[in-house]
Amino acid sequence: VESSKSTEQKFEQLFQDCLNLTPFAPDGATGKVWDGPSEAPLPATLRKRPATKQDTSTFLNILLVFITDKGKGGMNSNPTVFQYWFNLVKCYILPRLYPTIRVSGMAGDGVEGGLSSCPYELHNTILDFLTTYWTQFKRMQGIVCGNEENLKICLEILRITLYMKRPRLDDTLSSKKGSGDTKTSSLRETSS
């Protein structure tokens, strides 16, 4: 039993560290932003170039698509699996992106390696999943809004949306040039 708990703790640490926030750190800042493990990286994480903002945004999107697929009600759907993955995101990813989000049961300040505020690109991805899927499908809605703590997290993400500085349309378009990314969800907020 102790070895399975140790394995679970190692997995949770890996999950916490999977989202590389270094590209979003202010120039020259090191501080609490995670920049990879102190030991040799796993073969799957070896990189020939530094991570980019687009890499981090793409990884977060892939992770949230995977989680959402487990809760929508499709062939691979399983609410228990969605709840498990949502709890991991709630405990280990969201507190790193949103310093105002604290999850019960986390020691001290919770998760290490966060940013002072969630970058627009990552916030917009989370907001899309929260409003388009997680609160629209009854199976996921019951989990995401089913208890007071989760509901407070959802409301905090929505509150932050109201105060978030949005990039200008020109800045958004210039950052998309040459990236080959055709996703326009980040433009929806700036054009209104």
Side-chain angles (χ1 to χ4, degrees), residues 16-59:
Q16 171 185 334
D17 294 341
C18 71
L19 190 64
N20 188 342
L21 298 176
T22 305
F24 292 100
D27 291 338
T30 52
K32 291 174 60 180
V33 175
W34 180 81
D35 193 20
S38 56
E39 300 171 14
L42 299 172
T45 62
L46 292 175
R47 299 188 60 92
K48 302 240 188 269
R49 61 178 175 77
T52 65
K53 289 180 178 183
Q54 184 62 40
D55 293 336
T56 302
S57 296
T58 300
F59 177 79

Side-chain angles (χ1 to χ4, degrees), residues 33-90:
V33 175
W34 180 81
D35 193 20
S38 56
E39 300 171 14
L42 299 172
T45 62
L46 292 175
R47 299 188 60 92
K48 302 240 188 269
R49 61 178 175 77
T52 65
K53 289 180 178 183
Q54 184 62 40
D55 293 336
T56 302
S57 296
T58 300
F59 177 79
L60 180 63
N61 191 60
I62 290 168
L63 177 66
L64 297 180
V65 164
F66 170 78
I67 292 168
T68 301
D69 186 48
K70 300 301 176 195
K72 279 197 306 192
M75 190 166 55
N76 296 329
S77 176
N78 182 339
T80 306
V81 174
F82 172 75
Q83 184 171 9
Y84 172 78
W85 285 100
F86 176 76
N87 283 337
L88 286 175
V89 168
K90 174 180 82 172

Side-chain angles (χ1 to χ4, degrees), residues 63-191:
L63 177 66
L64 297 180
V65 164
F66 170 78
I67 292 168
T68 301
D69 186 48
K70 300 301 176 195
K72 279 197 306 192
M75 190 166 55
N76 296 329
S77 176
N78 182 339
T80 306
V81 174
F82 172 75
Q83 184 171 9
Y84 172 78
W85 285 100
F86 176 76
N87 283 337
L88 286 175
V89 168
K90 174 180 82 172
C91 292
Y92 298 102
I93 301 290
L94 294 181
R96 292 183 66 211
L97 297 174
Y98 301 99
T100 55
I101 290 179
R102 295 289 174 247
V103 179
S104 64
M106 300 297 287
D109 285 340
V111 176
E112 294 283 326
L115 298 172
S116 60
S117 65
C118 186
Y120 179 80
E121 299 90 336
L122 302 180
H123 175 78
N124 198 41
T125 299
I126 292 169
L127 186 65
D128 279 349
F129 279 89
L130 177 65
T131 59
T132 305
Y133 299 106
W134 298 349
T135 57
Q136 298 300 316
F137 289 90
K138 289 198 182 288
R139 297 174 104 184
M140 288 186 275
Q141 185 182 51
I143 294 166
V144 174
C145 302
N147 66 46
E148 188 174 338
E149 181 178 63
N150 289 356
L151 190 56
K152 283 182 180 180
I153 289 170
C154 293
L155 291 174
E156 180 63 13
I157 291 170
L158 294 172
R159 185 193 70 79
I160 289 169
T161 302
L162 298 174
Y163 294 103
M164 181 167 272
K165 179 182 174 189
R166 295 180 181 99
R168 294 187 341 229
L169 183 58
D170 295 342
D171 295 341
T172 305
L173 290 175
S174 67
S175 71
K176 297 286 181 184
K177 251 185 203 174
S179 69
D181 184 19
T182 58
K183 184 177 177 186
T184 59
S185 64
S186 63
L187 297 176
R188 285 189 293 211
E189 298 258 337
T190 58
S191 62

